[in-house]
Amino acid sequence: MFKPVQSSMIQGISYKKGGEMLVQFRNKTVYKYTGVPPGLHRQLMQAQSKGKFFLREIRDRYNDERVE
C-alpha cells in the first residue's frame, strides 16, 4: 500500500522492514529500492522536496528494480 505524498515527481511511497522501499512515480512506474535504512526513509517522508531528496540521497545509491 502506497502512502500518497505531495511531490511533482513521486506519487506514493511504501516501506517495509528490512529496507525495501517501493516508489511509485507520477508516470505510474514503480521501482523497488533495497537496503534503504529506516532513518533515510523517514527523512524522505519529512523532506520539503521529496523529489530532490530522492534524487540526491536514494537514486543511484541503492539497488533498484522496476516492478511490473
Side-chain angles (χ1 to χ4, degrees), residues 4-67:
V5 296
Q6 286 192 337
S7 170
S8 61
M9 180 178 158
I10 299 169
Q11 183 168 335
I13 298 169
S14 173
Y15 186 80
K16 296 179 183 177
K17 288 183 181 179
E20 181 181 288
M21 185 169 69
L22 297 175
V23 178
Q24 182 180 39
F25 295 94
R26 290 279 169 201
N27 66 5
K28 303 297 185 199
T29 60
V30 176
Y31 279 83
K32 176 172 68 173
Y33 295 86
T34 54
V36 179
L40 190 62
H41 169 253
R42 277 193 301 278
Q43 289 176 355
L44 170 63
M45 297 305 285
Q46 295 171 354
Q48 183 85 12
S49 172
K50 288 165 184 53
K52 285 181 183 176
F53 185 91
F54 170 81
L55 292 173
R56 185 179 65 243
E57 302 292 336
I58 296 168
R59 190 180 79 172
D60 299 330
R61 291 181 180 232
Y62 292 90
N63 291 331
D64 67 324
E65 173 185 340
R66 186 173 177 166
V67 177

